[in-house]
Amino acid sequence: MKTAVESLVTQEEIKKEPEKTIDREKTCPLLLRVFTTNNGRHHRMDEFSRGNVPSSELQIYTWMDATLKELTSLVKEVYPEARKKGTHFNFAIVFMDLKRPGYRVKEIGSTLSGRKGTDDSMTLQSQKFQIGDYLDIAITPPNRAPPPSGRMRPY
């Protein structure tokens, strides 16, 4: 008699590849080009066209295992107004579209200043960030609801 065994592995677990651990003492950091807004909205893709980039560039040397929370703290070092508790940081990867000319954006997660969140430990590597991509961070000050995004996430 054969018994059917049902797998308890979810589709999400199948998609997750184990992340390679990065030895920050032996691995050269990458230059992460970060663009921020303080109106809660991401930059328009046409602002990245024809070799142009938005003027709000922040250059960070980091590694592929950098978490969103770690990147949030680096941004807060540069922008004191973003240190206020309740400031919302919405992260997106901006990348060159290989199928048609121009850039595309992929929202990857968010953090909240002064609070723990489900996306805090998300890494660039886990979101398929490629060296050469940009990071766009829409910052929303406290007490101003962030604009609706493509992804709903529990708070």
Side-chain angles (χ1 to χ4, degrees), residues 97-151:
D97 190 340
L98 301 176
K99 295 181 182 117
R100 58 183 185 266
Y103 285 87
R104 295 201 43 204
V105 65
K106 174 183 147 190
E107 287 193 27
I108 59 169
S110 64
T111 61
L112 197 58
S113 192
R115 294 207 189 120
K116 289 189 190 302
T118 55
D119 295 343
D120 288 357
S121 60
M122 184 180 292
T123 66
L124 294 174
Q125 182 175 292
S126 73
Q127 296 305 301
K128 308 288 189 253
F129 180 87
Q130 304 273 313
I131 294 174
D133 292 349
Y134 302 131
L135 194 64
D136 194 72
I137 307 174
I139 302 171
T140 306
N143 304 321
R144 287 212 352 238
S149 70
R151 288 177 18 153

Side-chain angles (χ1 to χ4, degrees), residues 58 70-80 82-83 89:
L58 179 60
E70 182 181 349
L71 295 170
T72 298
S73 66
L74 293 171
V75 170
K76 287 174 10 181
E77 283 179 28
V78 178
Y79 299 120
R83 295 177 191 158
F89 297 80

Side-chain angles (χ1 to χ4, degrees), residues 89-102:
F89 297 80
N90 189 294
F91 292 79
I93 296 173
V94 178
F95 59 96
M96 179 66 74
D97 190 340
L98 301 176
K99 295 181 182 117
R100 58 183 185 266

Side-chain angles (χ1 to χ4, degrees), residues 58-70:
L58 179 60
Q59 296 186 344
I60 297 173
Y61 287 93
T62 191
W63 292 266
M64 292 294 280
D65 65 348
T67 65
L68 296 190
K69 196 63 167 183
E70 182 181 349

